[in-house]
Amino acid sequence: MTRKTPEFSVIIPSLNEEAYIKYAFEGLSAQTNKNFETIVVDGGSKDRTREIAKKYARVLIDKRPGAAAARNTGAKAAKGKYLLFLDADTKPSPQLIQTYSD
């Protein structure tokens, strides 16, 4: 089976976002443009963040401090043509990715 290269890579830095990251995945699952991959870069969470994220995304670990380091790690691993950075506690509108693909 040949997999299509995603047009977008959605990169989400996380650290102890168990209570909130589900909203990001709810918004991403409702996207009108489904041509994207999701990468969560976790900074060493002590809660269930990684466990939850593994159900919806590729999860990488980068324990360097700060969201910038996590974003860079995600960008290096991304397969999409375009990078879209999303905070773990943000629920995107269903048209977010479509807006950038028009």
Side-chain angles (χ1 to χ4, degrees), residues 31-51:
Q31 292 301 299
T32 56
N33 180 337
K34 305 285 188 190
N35 191 7
F36 67 94
E37 67 173 339
T38 306
I39 302 169
V40 172
V41 184
D42 189 73
S45 293
K46 303 294 185 204
D47 61 7
R48 295 179 51 241
T49 299
R50 283 192 300 253
E51 180 183 332

Side-chain angles (χ1 to χ4, degrees), residues 6-36:
E7 184 178 17
F8 291 88
S9 294
V10 179
I11 300 163
I12 305 172
S14 68
L15 180 63
N16 298 321
E17 296 286 350
E18 174 183 6
Y20 305 104
I21 200 164
K22 64 183 176 186
Y23 300 114
F25 294 129
E26 285 174 5
L28 290 171
S29 67
Q31 292 301 299
T32 56
N33 180 337
K34 305 285 188 190
N35 191 7
F36 67 94

Side-chain angles (χ1 to χ4, degrees), residues 45-87:
S45 293
K46 303 294 185 204
D47 61 7
R48 295 179 51 241
T49 299
R50 283 192 300 253
E51 180 183 332
I52 294 166
K54 285 180 182 178
K55 295 176 187 176
Y56 305 97
R58 181 166 40 137
V59 177
L60 307 174
I61 299 171
D62 185 344
K63 293 186 179 181
R64 294 178 296 166
R71 288 183 184 106
N72 288 334
T73 296
K76 288 177 188 172
K79 296 179 179 150
K81 181 176 178 181
Y82 303 105
L83 304 179
L84 197 152
F85 299 97
L86 186 68
D87 289 335

